[in-house]
Amino acid sequence: MRHFESLHQFSVNEITDLLQLADKLKSGYRPLMGQTFAVNLFFEPSTRTKSSFVMAEHKLGMEVLDFQAETSSVKKGETLYDTAKTMEAIGANMLVIRHADDNWMEELSGRLTIPVINAGSGKTEHPTQGLLDLLTIYQEFGTFRGLKIAICGDIIHSRVAHSNAQALKRMGATVYLCAAPGFEDDSLPYPYITIDEAVDECDVIMLLRIQHERHEGHWHIAYYLQDFGMTKDRESRMKNHAIIMHPAPVNRGVEIDSDLVECKRSRIFKQMENGVYARMAIITKMMEEWGMYHAPAFKKYQITANKGTVANM
Ligand code: CP
């Protein structure tokens, strides 16, 4: 049985199925069969991911157990495994976990009898963000083939960059990276270009948050927007059809001029909206794989794209 650890573990066809299901769920959904309980174990702060998982769980008719790491026995030294195993023992049917450890899944590997969804693992993976980002791009362009996508910012500390780069490449896009000195990650095999080259050439500019909490010492941001960020001048030079994305939270005036956060090209809040449906699709798939969802819902679906259809892939 699979947990939802990484987009790497899913084939292109499986990712396409998830995108189609997420898109279908936007226009209608049915609750899971029977009574199911979800627990969201967040050991790092979150606004979007946790709230959209709760929304997705409620829309699917799941009961959601409350868990706050700060007031739990984690404060007494309880391990992640013991917390997760406790939730399994009291009747949870699914766990959603975010943790600062890059490899926290290894601690749970093969030791639980319920599905686990990775809602963020240190600097390494944020696969549910990856799926909602793919959904946003696919709704916009109807395909990944032929798209030039630049992932720009704090690459080395970004779990979003690590999840998205490989998935976008496998789906057929050409991926570029763009980073200030010290933010590069040589382990990612994609060419680096400047922010100005990205603005001139790319169909999607995917900005990343500077991960202040993962930097050692103080990082000076005074000139970041002008030298590496999305200024109004750069936005005005983008291709007519090109879009701006950012997983958020946004450091306004750092990665992007504050006035551009809701500009015509920005898909930042669209990404958040898509997060609910991408997570509903992931939960549905996990529950199906683990035998907890037997309804033959949504066998036929077609993505709603501005241009083209899934048949283009
Ligand atoms: N994009 C994202 O993961 O946001 P949160 O940290 O608010 O969940």
Side-chain angles (χ1 to χ4, degrees):
M1 293 285 190
R2 286 187 294 187
H3 301 289
F4 195 89
E5 297 180 48
S6 165
L7 288 177
H8 301 188
Q9 72 195 91
F10 294 90
S11 68
V12 167
N13 284 342
E14 286 177 315
I15 292 173
T16 304
D17 283 348
L18 281 168
L19 295 176
Q20 291 175 335
L21 177 56
D23 200 66
K24 178 69 182 175
L25 287 162
K26 284 185 91 160
S27 51
Y29 48 85
R30 296 198 310 213
L32 297 169
M33 291 179 75
Q35 192 179 37
T36 50
F37 295 92
V39 187
N40 305 309
L41 302 175
F42 277 64
F43 298 89
E44 278 192 325
S46 170
T47 301
R48 275 144 290 273
T49 309
K50 185 171 181 183
S51 299
S52 60
F53 261 113
V54 171
M55 184 65 81
E57 289 153 358
H58 280 298
K59 282 179 183 263
L60 289 172
M62 302 181 85
E63 309 277 347
V64 183
L65 270 69
D66 185 41
F67 173 83
Q68 306 291 338
E70 286 301 308
T71 53
S72 75
S73 288
V74 170
K75 299 301 282 182
K76 303 175 198 166
E78 183 174 77
T79 65
L80 172 62
Y81 172 72
D82 283 332
T83 304
K85 198 71 184 169
T86 298
M87 296 303 164
E88 177 191 81
I90 66 173
N93 300 108
M94 181 191 83
L95 302 179
V96 176
I97 301 181
R98 169 176 286 190
H99 198 286
D101 187 335
D102 284 349
N103 303 304
W104 61 259
M105 293 291 296
E106 290 174 9
E107 187 182 339
L108 307 183
S109 183
R111 303 171 80 188
L112 295 176
T113 59
I114 52 175
V116 176
I117 297 174
N118 181 359
S121 47
K123 302 182 294 299
T124 57
E125 285 279 359
H126 196 349
T128 67
Q129 178 75 42
L131 192 75
L132 75 88
D133 288 344
L134 264 57
L135 179 61
T136 306
I137 294 168
Y138 199 55
Q139 286 172 343
E140 190 74 29
F141 298 101
T143 184
F144 296 93
R145 296 205 183 284
L147 292 183
K148 294 180 178 178
I149 300 178
I151 304 176
C152 306
D154 188 0
I155 305 282
I156 193 161
H157 298 106
S158 171
R159 53 193 173 209
V160 177
H162 290 93
S163 284
N164 286 13
Q166 206 235 35
L168 288 166
K169 170 79 174 169
R170 284 202 297 135
M171 298 303 285
T174 301
V175 175
Y176 300 98
L177 303 177
C178 177
F183 284 0
E184 307 97 332
D185 184 347
D186 294 338
S187 72
L188 291 176
Y190 308 98
Y192 279 87
I193 59 176
T194 66
I195 183 70
D196 288 303
E197 290 168 332
V199 160
D200 291 339
E201 292 294 324
C202 289
D203 306 291
V204 179
I205 305 285
M206 189 178 282
L207 303 168
L208 301 171
R209 183 175 69 87
I210 293 182
Q211 310 266 309
H212 295 289
E213 70 277 22
R214 301 189 203 284
H215 287 264
E216 287 171 14
H218 185 64
W219 202 86
H220 295 283
I221 59 169
Y223 303 105
Y224 188 89
L225 178 64
Q226 200 53 46
D227 293 348
F228 305 104
M230 182 59 68
T231 59
K232 289 180 184 172
D233 174 62
R234 290 192 177 110
E235 187 274 335
S236 73
R237 289 192 283 113
M238 289 174 68
K239 292 179 177 180
N240 285 342
H241 65 266
I243 61 170
I244 297 169
M245 297 175 67
H246 190 308
V250 173
N251 292 309
R252 286 177 178 261
V254 181
E255 299 102 28
I256 182 170
D257 188 295
S258 188
D259 289 347
L260 297 178
V261 171
E262 294 179 64
C263 75
K264 208 171 162 195
R265 293 184 192 281
S266 170
R267 298 294 178 272
I268 295 172
F269 288 93
K270 184 72 169 175
Q271 289 170 263
M272 294 177 207
E273 180 189 346
N274 280 338
V276 174
Y277 300 100
R279 288 168 177 128
M280 286 173 77
I282 291 163
I283 293 168
T284 301
K285 181 161 182 71
M286 285 295 102
M287 291 311 221
E288 282 179 343
E289 288 201 6
W290 286 71
M292 284 184 268
Y293 181 43
H294 307 291
F298 310 126
K299 286 296 179 208
K300 297 282 179 212
Y301 32 76
Q302 184 135 9
I303 198 160
T304 307
N306 292 344
K307 300 169 196 167
T309 69
V310 70
N312 291 338
M313 292 192 66

